[in-house]
Amino acid sequence: MTFAPDLLKGKVALITGGGTGLGRAMGERFLQLGAKLAICGRREQVLKDAAAEMVAAHGGEVLPIVCDVRDANAVGLMIEEAWAKYGGIDILVNNAAGNIASPTERLSSRAVDAVIGIVLSGSFYCTLALGKKWLQAGRRGKVLSIVTTYAEGGSAYVVPSAAAKAGVLAMTRSLAVEWGPRGIICNAIAPGPFPTKGAWDRLMPDPKMLEMAIERIPLRRPGELIELADLASFLVSDKSDYINGECITIDGGEKLKGAGQFAWMGMLTPEQWAALEASARGTKA
Ligand code: HXC
Ligand code: NAP
């Protein structure tokens, strides 16, 4: 997508989980478009390396902050640090997540807590802490939360993630109404499969699994990181100021294929189609 090169000039964005995967891809694009960044995660070296590489590639400023978003106190300190360095924050991207693919009955309560803590509590703590600062300062702000396509309808085998992402979506829509009048805009992106090490290694380690995943996508390919990064750039920019409380799906049509009762018919051979037609026409007689 072509954007004005200064689309995000003067903006400061805090991206949770910004040292890897989609978070890093969004960060790189925001930097190219003129934003300054703070990125957080739990692993200091990953963050430091990412920050150095991003600045080397695109210039600009990236502040790495070690923070476990499950710790509300640490989230408060992170926001103070980034705010003090840049004199404010304009954009929050709730991107940090954890996921466990497992039959639900195999999970311990600690496993459930780990995922819900990162995804739901973490996104809520960041949004709450920054929202309070924005309201207090009378500043505008944008919150973009990265959810999943199953946030709407749930998904077997990733149930803590589905429950938590549904919560993040509910938070997004609720705050869009509550905080919108005071200049805080909240939206979400629901990505289909995008090749990142964090998601792939945990959820699709076997190439066969990836093949099956691609089979479900009408466009027959996973998303490219830049496609998601461009959508995110638009949604955090001033150009999308009238979009509030929305969740934009970017999945090559995967979710709709899953919802269509007859979508499985894509598997039929031409002979099977011919037989089906003959049999259906035959019912007239
Ligand atoms: C069952 C598991 C498990 C597994 C961990 N646990 N992995 N249980 N099956 N595969 C249990 C542990 O035994 C422990 O419970 C509890 O979960 C917490 O585990 P820890 O390793 O101590 O937790 P922690 O270090 O906090 O790690 C959190 C995590 C991990 C969620 C388990 O995977 C993580 O750090 N993930 C971050 C990155 C990530 O998941 N990225 C992918 C996002 S993809 P007990 O009872 O033993 O103490 C995504 C959408 C994908 O979200 C959509 C694709 C299309
Ligand atoms: P990823 O690389 O594993 O990203 C997760 C990031 O979150 C990591 O940087 C991780 O860093 C950070 N994180 C995890 N727990 C944290 C915590 N407690 N505190 C702070 N940071 C934490 O995977 P990804 O694919 O890029 O996922 C990014 C987002 O996209 C997630 O919200 C995910 O649900 C969503 N998504 C991805 C896909 C996909 O196909 N890739 C599809 C749908 C939705 P540390 O481990 O260093 O903490």
Side-chain angles (χ1 to χ4, degrees), residues 42 70 97-100 107-108 110-111 114 148 150 193 198-199 202-203:
R42 294 164 297 177
R70 290 173 286 193
N99 205 345
I100 301 174
L107 298 175
S108 67
R110 283 168 52 87
T148 53
Y150 55 70
R202 284 186 176 86
L203 306 171

Side-chain angles (χ1 to χ4, degrees), residues 15-26 40-47 65-71 75 78 94-99 114 117-119 122-123 126 145-150 161 165 189-200 202-204 222-223 225 228 250 254:
I15 306 178
T16 67
T20 66
L22 297 183
R24 177 162 171 175
M26 289 186 277
C40 86
R42 294 164 297 177
R43 292 167 296 169
E44 185 171 23
Q45 201 54 49
V46 168
L47 287 172
I65 306 176
V66 176
C67 172
D68 187 328
V69 293
R70 290 173 286 193
D71 178 344
V75 165
M78 165 177 69
N94 287 315
N95 165 80
N99 205 345
I118 301 169
V119 176
S123 301
C126 292
S145 296
I146 309 302
V147 295
T148 53
T149 49
Y150 55 70
S161 169
K165 294 285 192 183
I189 293 179
F194 281 76
T196 65
K197 190 168 163 40
W200 256 222
R202 284 186 176 86
L203 306 171
M204 285 187 268
L225 271 58
L228 185 131
I250 175 166
E254 183 194 35

Side-chain angles (χ1 to χ4, degrees), residues 219-241:
L219 298 188
R220 292 290 183 271
R221 65 172 177 87
E224 289 176 22
L225 271 58
I226 187 68
E227 294 174 316
L228 185 131
D230 275 343
L231 175 60
S233 300
F234 171 66
L235 286 174
V236 300
S237 78
D238 296 339
K239 301 288 177 200
S240 62
D241 273 357

Side-chain angles (χ1 to χ4, degrees), residues 214-218 220 251 253-264 266:
I214 289 174
E215 185 60 33
R216 282 198 312 273
I217 305 168
R220 292 290 183 271
D251 73 345
E254 183 194 35
K255 187 174 83 171
L256 294 176
K257 183 172 176 187
Q261 198 170 28
F262 288 88
W264 61 271

